[in-house]
PDB file of all heavy atoms in Angstrom:
ATOM      1  N   ASP A  88      54.251 193.775 166.405  1.00 97.00           N
ATOM      2  CA  ASP A  88      55.375 194.718 166.334  1.00 97.00           C
ATOM      3  C   ASP A  88      56.589 194.052 165.698  1.00 97.00           C
ATOM      4  O   ASP A  88      56.883 192.883 165.965  1.00 97.00           O
ATOM      5  CB  ASP A  88      55.768 195.199 167.734  1.00 97.00           C
ATOM      6  CG  ASP A  88      54.812 196.228 168.300  1.00 97.00           C
ATOM      7  OD1 ASP A  88      53.957 196.726 167.543  1.00 97.00           O
ATOM      8  OD2 ASP A  88      54.925 196.528 169.503  1.00 97.00           O
ATOM      9  N   ILE A  90      60.378 194.041 166.007  1.00 96.00           N
ATOM     10  CA  ILE A  90      61.311 194.482 167.044  1.00 96.00           C
ATOM     11  C   ILE A  90      62.748 194.086 166.706  1.00 96.00           C
ATOM     12  O   ILE A  90      62.999 193.113 165.995  1.00 96.00           O
ATOM     13  CB  ILE A  90      60.943 193.904 168.432  1.00 96.00           C
ATOM     14  CG1 ILE A  90      60.994 192.365 168.412  1.00 96.00           C
ATOM     15  CG2 ILE A  90      59.575 194.425 168.880  1.00 96.00           C
ATOM     16  CD1 ILE A  90      60.897 191.744 169.795  1.00 96.00           C
ATOM     17  N   PHE A  92      66.246 193.036 168.707  1.00 94.00           N
ATOM     18  CA  PHE A  92      66.659 192.564 170.027  1.00 94.00           C
ATOM     19  C   PHE A  92      68.040 191.927 169.930  1.00 94.00           C
ATOM     20  O   PHE A  92      68.487 191.517 168.852  1.00 94.00           O
ATOM     21  CB  PHE A  92      65.652 191.554 170.588  1.00 94.00           C
ATOM     22  CG  PHE A  92      65.399 190.365 169.697  1.00 94.00           C
ATOM     23  CD1 PHE A  92      66.083 189.162 169.867  1.00 94.00           C
ATOM     24  CD2 PHE A  92      64.467 190.437 168.676  1.00 94.00           C
ATOM     25  CE1 PHE A  92      65.847 188.070 169.047  1.00 94.00           C
ATOM     26  CE2 PHE A  92      64.215 189.353 167.836  1.00 94.00           C
ATOM     27  CZ  PHE A  92      64.911 188.167 168.025  1.00 94.00           C
ATOM     28  N   TRP A  98      71.462 182.080 169.243  1.00 88.00           N
ATOM     29  CA  TRP A  98      70.598 182.074 168.068  1.00 88.00           C
ATOM     30  C   TRP A  98      71.427 182.275 166.806  1.00 88.00           C
ATOM     31  O   TRP A  98      71.086 181.760 165.751  1.00 88.00           O
ATOM     32  CB  TRP A  98      69.548 183.191 168.169  1.00 88.00           C
ATOM     33  CG  TRP A  98      68.389 182.864 169.046  1.00 88.00           C
ATOM     34  CD1 TRP A  98      68.398 182.102 170.183  1.00 88.00           C
ATOM     35  CD2 TRP A  98      67.043 183.306 168.878  1.00 88.00           C
ATOM     36  NE1 TRP A  98      67.143 182.051 170.728  1.00 88.00           N
ATOM     37  CE2 TRP A  98      66.289 182.779 169.949  1.00 88.00           C
ATOM     38  CE3 TRP A  98      66.401 184.108 167.945  1.00 88.00           C
ATOM     39  CZ2 TRP A  98      64.929 183.024 170.099  1.00 88.00           C
ATOM     40  CZ3 TRP A  98      65.047 184.364 168.085  1.00 88.00           C
ATOM     41  CH2 TRP A  98      64.318 183.820 169.145  1.00 88.00           C
ATOM     42  N   VAL A 139      66.117 190.946 164.002  1.00 94.00           N
ATOM     43  CA  VAL A 139      64.848 191.643 163.822  1.00 94.00           C
ATOM     44  C   VAL A 139      63.780 190.608 163.488  1.00 94.00           C
ATOM     45  O   VAL A 139      63.963 189.779 162.592  1.00 94.00           O
ATOM     46  CB  VAL A 139      64.947 192.726 162.724  1.00 94.00           C
ATOM     47  CG1 VAL A 139      65.390 192.154 161.393  1.00 94.00           C
ATOM     48  CG2 VAL A 139      63.626 193.480 162.587  1.00 94.00           C
ATOM     49  N   LYS A 140      62.679 190.615 164.236  1.00 96.00           N
ATOM     50  CA  LYS A 140      61.580 189.656 164.058  1.00 96.00           C
ATOM     51  C   LYS A 140      60.255 190.346 164.377  1.00 96.00           C
ATOM     52  O   LYS A 140      60.230 191.470 164.889  1.00 96.00           O
ATOM     53  CB  LYS A 140      61.732 188.443 164.979  1.00 96.00           C
ATOM     54  CG  LYS A 140      63.069 187.720 164.871  1.00 96.00           C
ATOM     55  CD  LYS A 140      63.292 187.056 163.532  1.00 96.00           C
ATOM     56  CE  LYS A 140      64.698 186.498 163.401  1.00 96.00           C
ATOM     57  NZ  LYS A 140      65.017 186.162 161.996  1.00 96.00           N
ATOM     58  N   ARG A 141      59.166 189.605 164.118  1.00 97.00           N
ATOM     59  CA  ARG A 141      57.834 190.118 164.441  1.00 97.00           C
ATOM     60  C   ARG A 141      57.309 189.400 165.686  1.00 97.00           C
ATOM     61  O   ARG A 141      57.412 188.177 165.797  1.00 97.00           O
ATOM     62  CB  ARG A 141      56.870 189.906 163.270  1.00 97.00           C
ATOM     63  CG  ARG A 141      55.537 190.646 163.451  1.00 97.00           C
ATOM     64  CD  ARG A 141      54.621 190.435 162.259  1.00 97.00           C
ATOM     65  NE  ARG A 141      55.174 190.977 161.026  1.00 97.00           N
ATOM     66  CZ  ARG A 141      55.055 192.239 160.641  1.00 97.00           C
ATOM     67  NH1 ARG A 141      54.401 193.106 161.397  1.00 97.00           N
ATOM     68  NH2 ARG A 141      55.575 192.637 159.485  1.00 97.00           N
ATOM     69  N   VAL A 142      56.722 190.161 166.592  1.00 98.00           N
ATOM     70  CA  VAL A 142      56.165 189.604 167.826  1.00 98.00           C
ATOM     71  C   VAL A 142      54.842 188.907 167.500  1.00 98.00           C
ATOM     72  O   VAL A 142      53.921 189.508 166.934  1.00 98.00           O
ATOM     73  CB  VAL A 142      55.931 190.696 168.881  1.00 98.00           C
ATOM     74  CG1 VAL A 142      55.260 190.115 170.122  1.00 98.00           C
ATOM     75  CG2 VAL A 142      57.248 191.368 169.250  1.00 98.00           C
ATOM     76  N   ILE A 143      54.746 187.637 167.878  1.00 97.00           N
ATOM     77  CA  ILE A 143      53.516 186.869 167.684  1.00 97.00           C
ATOM     78  C   ILE A 143      52.827 186.608 169.015  1.00 97.00           C
ATOM     79  O   ILE A 143      51.600 186.611 169.103  1.00 97.00           O
ATOM     80  CB  ILE A 143      53.808 185.533 166.977  1.00 97.00           C
ATOM     81  CG1 ILE A 143      54.501 185.778 165.637  1.00 97.00           C
ATOM     82  CG2 ILE A 143      52.517 184.728 166.770  1.00 97.00           C
ATOM     83  CD1 ILE A 143      53.705 186.611 164.656  1.00 97.00           C
ATOM     84  N   GLY A 144      53.610 186.395 170.074  1.00 96.00           N
ATOM     85  CA  GLY A 144      53.025 186.142 171.389  1.00 96.00           C
ATOM     86  C   GLY A 144      53.642 187.029 172.450  1.00 96.00           C
ATOM     87  O   GLY A 144      54.861 187.214 172.484  1.00 96.00           O
ATOM     88  N   LEU A 192      58.826 187.060 175.125  1.00 97.00           N
ATOM     89  CA  LEU A 192      58.079 187.222 173.882  1.00 97.00           C
ATOM     90  C   LEU A 192      58.322 186.009 172.989  1.00 97.00           C
ATOM     91  O   LEU A 192      59.357 185.339 173.104  1.00 97.00           O
ATOM     92  CB  LEU A 192      58.527 188.493 173.149  1.00 97.00           C
ATOM     93  CG  LEU A 192      58.429 189.821 173.914  1.00 97.00           C
ATOM     94  CD1 LEU A 192      59.154 190.916 173.163  1.00 97.00           C
ATOM     95  CD2 LEU A 192      56.964 190.204 174.138  1.00 97.00           C
ATOM     96  N   TRP A 193      57.367 185.756 172.098  1.00 98.00           N
ATOM     97  CA  TRP A 193      57.530 184.718 171.071  1.00 98.00           C
ATOM     98  C   TRP A 193      57.560 185.434 169.727  1.00 98.00           C
ATOM     99  O   TRP A 193      56.628 186.171 169.386  1.00 98.00           O
ATOM    100  CB  TRP A 193      56.381 183.723 171.138  1.00 98.00           C
ATOM    101  CG  TRP A 193      56.565 182.522 170.259  1.00 98.00           C
ATOM    102  CD1 TRP A 193      55.995 182.298 169.035  1.00 98.00           C
ATOM    103  CD2 TRP A 193      57.361 181.355 170.541  1.00 98.00           C
ATOM    104  NE1 TRP A 193      56.387 181.080 168.536  1.00 98.00           N
ATOM    105  CE2 TRP A 193      57.230 180.473 169.435  1.00 98.00           C
ATOM    106  CE3 TRP A 193      58.170 180.982 171.603  1.00 98.00           C
ATOM    107  CZ2 TRP A 193      57.877 179.237 169.381  1.00 98.00           C
ATOM    108  CZ3 TRP A 193      58.816 179.752 171.545  1.00 98.00           C
ATOM    109  CH2 TRP A 193      58.673 178.898 170.446  1.00 98.00           C
ATOM    110  N   VAL A 194      58.632 185.252 168.963  1.00 98.00           N
ATOM    111  CA  VAL A 194      58.830 186.023 167.742  1.00 98.00           C
ATOM    112  C   VAL A 194      59.085 185.104 166.554  1.00 98.00           C
ATOM    113  O   VAL A 194      59.680 184.033 166.692  1.00 98.00           O
ATOM    114  CB  VAL A 194      60.009 187.020 167.895  1.00 98.00           C
ATOM    115  CG1 VAL A 194      59.763 187.979 169.050  1.00 98.00           C
ATOM    116  CG2 VAL A 194      61.337 186.284 168.089  1.00 98.00           C
ATOM    117  N   LEU A 195      58.637 185.551 165.372  1.00 96.00           N
ATOM    118  CA  LEU A 195      58.864 184.821 164.130  1.00 96.00           C
ATOM    119  C   LEU A 195      59.299 185.802 163.047  1.00 96.00           C
ATOM    120  O   LEU A 195      58.899 186.972 163.058  1.00 96.00           O
ATOM    121  CB  LEU A 195      57.593 184.090 163.680  1.00 96.00           C
ATOM    122  CG  LEU A 195      57.020 183.020 164.621  1.00 96.00           C
ATOM    123  CD1 LEU A 195      55.700 182.499 164.061  1.00 96.00           C
ATOM    124  CD2 LEU A 195      58.004 181.872 164.829  1.00 96.00           C
ATOM    125  N   GLY A 196      60.116 185.316 162.110  1.00 95.00           N
ATOM    126  CA  GLY A 196      60.463 186.118 160.948  1.00 95.00           C
ATOM    127  C   GLY A 196      59.345 186.050 159.926  1.00 95.00           C
ATOM    128  O   GLY A 196      58.628 185.050 159.824  1.00 95.00           O
ATOM    129  N   SER A 202      64.403 181.854 158.581  1.00 91.00           N
ATOM    130  CA  SER A 202      64.489 182.784 159.708  1.00 91.00           C
ATOM    131  C   SER A 202      64.925 182.072 160.979  1.00 91.00           C
ATOM    132  O   SER A 202      64.336 181.060 161.371  1.00 91.00           O
ATOM    133  CB  SER A 202      63.123 183.449 159.945  1.00 91.00           C
ATOM    134  OG  SER A 202      63.158 184.291 161.071  1.00 91.00           O
ATOM    135  N   GLU A 203      65.947 182.610 161.620  1.00 91.00           N
ATOM    136  CA  GLU A 203      66.396 182.104 162.922  1.00 91.00           C
ATOM    137  C   GLU A 203      65.519 182.743 163.996  1.00 91.00           C
ATOM    138  O   GLU A 203      65.876 183.770 164.584  1.00 91.00           O
ATOM    139  CB  GLU A 203      67.868 182.425 163.139  1.00 91.00           C
ATOM    140  CG  GLU A 203      68.816 181.696 162.207  1.00 91.00           C
ATOM    141  CD  GLU A 203      68.833 180.198 162.468  1.00 91.00           C
ATOM    142  OE1 GLU A 203      68.607 179.785 163.624  1.00 91.00           O
ATOM    143  OE2 GLU A 203      69.079 179.431 161.517  1.00 91.00           O
ATOM    144  N   ASP A 204      64.359 182.136 164.245  1.00 94.00           N
ATOM    145  CA  ASP A 204      63.400 182.748 165.155  1.00 94.00           C
ATOM    146  C   ASP A 204      63.048 181.806 166.309  1.00 94.00           C
ATOM    147  O   ASP A 204      63.728 180.799 166.540  1.00 94.00           O
ATOM    148  CB  ASP A 204      62.151 183.189 164.393  1.00 94.00           C
ATOM    149  CG  ASP A 204      61.510 182.047 163.590  1.00 94.00           C
ATOM    150  OD1 ASP A 204      61.631 180.889 164.010  1.00 94.00           O
ATOM    151  OD2 ASP A 204      60.888 182.334 162.540  1.00 94.00           O
ATOM    152  N   SER A 205      61.993 182.145 167.038  1.00 96.00           N
ATOM    153  CA  SER A 205      61.631 181.359 168.229  1.00 96.00           C
ATOM    154  C   SER A 205      61.372 179.898 167.897  1.00 96.00           C
ATOM    155  O   SER A 205      61.773 178.997 168.646  1.00 96.00           O
ATOM    156  CB  SER A 205      60.390 181.960 168.890  1.00 96.00           C
ATOM    157  OG  SER A 205      60.680 183.207 169.491  1.00 96.00           O
ATOM    158  N   SER A 206      60.700 179.637 166.783  1.00 95.00           N
ATOM    159  CA  SER A 206      60.349 178.257 166.452  1.00 95.00           C
ATOM    160  C   SER A 206      61.579 177.384 166.226  1.00 95.00           C
ATOM    161  O   SER A 206      61.533 176.176 166.459  1.00 95.00           O
ATOM    162  CB  SER A 206      59.459 178.222 165.203  1.00 95.00           C
ATOM    163  OG  SER A 206      60.198 178.508 164.025  1.00 95.00           O
ATOM    164  N   GLY A 215      63.399 179.248 173.045  1.00 95.00           N
ATOM    165  CA  GLY A 215      62.895 180.055 171.938  1.00 95.00           C
ATOM    166  C   GLY A 215      62.300 181.389 172.345  1.00 95.00           C
ATOM    167  O   GLY A 215      61.943 182.200 171.480  1.00 95.00           O
ATOM    168  N   PHE A 216      62.192 181.633 173.633  1.00 97.00           N
ATOM    169  CA  PHE A 216      61.611 182.899 174.089  1.00 97.00           C
ATOM    170  C   PHE A 216      62.658 184.008 174.083  1.00 97.00           C
ATOM    171  O   PHE A 216      63.846 183.767 174.296  1.00 97.00           O
ATOM    172  CB  PHE A 216      61.019 182.748 175.492  1.00 97.00           C
ATOM    173  CG  PHE A 216      59.904 181.740 175.569  1.00 97.00           C
ATOM    174  CD1 PHE A 216      60.074 180.532 176.239  1.00 97.00           C
ATOM    175  CD2 PHE A 216      58.681 181.994 174.952  1.00 97.00           C
ATOM    176  CE1 PHE A 216      59.053 179.601 176.301  1.00 97.00           C
ATOM    177  CE2 PHE A 216      57.652 181.056 175.008  1.00 97.00           C
ATOM    178  CZ  PHE A 216      57.843 179.864 175.680  1.00 97.00           C
ATOM    179  N   VAL A 217      62.177 185.234 173.856  1.00 97.00           N
ATOM    180  CA  VAL A 217      63.037 186.417 173.870  1.00 97.00           C
ATOM    181  C   VAL A 217      62.689 187.259 175.093  1.00 97.00           C
ATOM    182  O   VAL A 217      61.545 187.732 175.212  1.00 97.00           O
ATOM    183  CB  VAL A 217      62.844 187.265 172.602  1.00 97.00           C
ATOM    184  CG1 VAL A 217      63.659 188.550 172.685  1.00 97.00           C
ATOM    185  CG2 VAL A 217      63.232 186.473 171.356  1.00 97.00           C
TER     186      VAL A 217
END
Side-chain angles (χ1 to χ4, degrees):
D88 284 349
I90 61 169
F92 56 95
W98 280 34
V139 57
K140 306 294 173 194
R141 190 179 297 275
V142 176
I143 303 300
L192 303 169
W193 188 259
V194 301
L195 299 175
S202 177
E203 293 293 330
D204 55 30
S205 290
S206 73
F216 299 110
V217 175

